[in-house]
Amino acid sequence: MIENLNGKIRKYTKNKLSFPSDQAVMKSVYLALREATKKWSMPIQNWRIILNQVLVIFEKRVQL
């Protein structure tokens, strides 16, 4: 599942040779994720456990 998502992000961003800023990269990845999630039909199993682990590991990066 993660490799599939990475492929979608790569597909969405590979047309650009360079980005003018880090924010441009973030916007591009955000749009790729947004397009990918439109096709998701099943809920992610154990999402609460996964989210808690991500919050512990990346507490300084993730803001809810």
Side-chain angles (χ1 to χ4, degrees), residues 12-41:
Y12 205 82
T13 58
K14 84 175 181 182
N15 294 335
K16 301 234 181 209
L17 298 175
S18 64
F19 290 93
S21 67
D22 288 346
Q23 190 168 1
V25 175
M26 294 296 287
K27 285 181 182 180
S28 187
V29 170
Y30 169 76
L31 291 173
L33 290 172
R34 194 167 151 203
E35 286 298 314
T37 57
K38 287 180 182 178
K39 297 177 183 174
W40 294 351
S41 59

Side-chain angles (χ1 to χ4, degrees), residues 1-2 5 33 36-54:
M1 186 166 124
I2 293 200
L5 184 59
L33 290 172
T37 57
K38 287 180 182 178
K39 297 177 183 174
W40 294 351
S41 59
M42 293 180 50
I44 299 172
Q45 296 178 357
N46 301 321
W47 175 245
R48 288 183 186 203
I49 295 170
I50 295 168
L51 180 60
N52 285 332
Q53 290 174 354
V54 168

